Amino acid sequence: MIALYLLIDTVLGIFVWLLIASAVLSWLVAFNVVNTRNRAVYAIGDFLYRVTEPAIAPIRRVMPNMGGIDLSPMVLILLIFFVRNLLAEYWPRGF
């Protein structure tokens, strides 16, 4: 049973890093540091968008417009940290 907890915790941790990478890449594209015409940058950006957008989109719909600042990845990361801590606290350790 502890193996299942560790798997869920690891997947959530990897997803947090994917959210951070997606946010950083979006900033780099917005400030013209990297060019999306490069095939590698486009492939990485497309992968990160496809992985993270289904989780971020519902949060974006609920949050108010902040004038160009997207705080939805930060809200999702805080939510994931909350779920990870909740799982750590309430996961049965007697098995």
Side-chain angles (χ1 to χ4, degrees), residues 42-60:
Y42 179 78
I44 293 169
D46 187 50
F47 168 75
L48 290 173
Y49 179 81
R50 288 176 188 244
V51 169
T52 59
E53 190 61 26
I56 292 178
I59 297 172
R60 275 198 189 119

Side-chain angles (χ1 to χ4, degrees), residues 21-37 41 45 60 67-70:
S22 176
V24 168
L25 184 65
S26 72
W27 293 338
L28 292 176
V29 168
F31 292 125
N32 285 330
V33 175
V34 294
N35 191 355
T36 55
R37 292 187 195 122
V41 172
R60 275 198 189 119
I69 298 172
D70 186 17

Side-chain angles (χ1 to χ4, degrees), residues 3 6-7 17-18 49 52 60 68-69 71 80:
L6 291 175
L7 177 68
W17 283 109
L18 289 174
Y49 179 81
T52 59
R60 275 198 189 119
I69 298 172
L71 296 177
I80 290 172

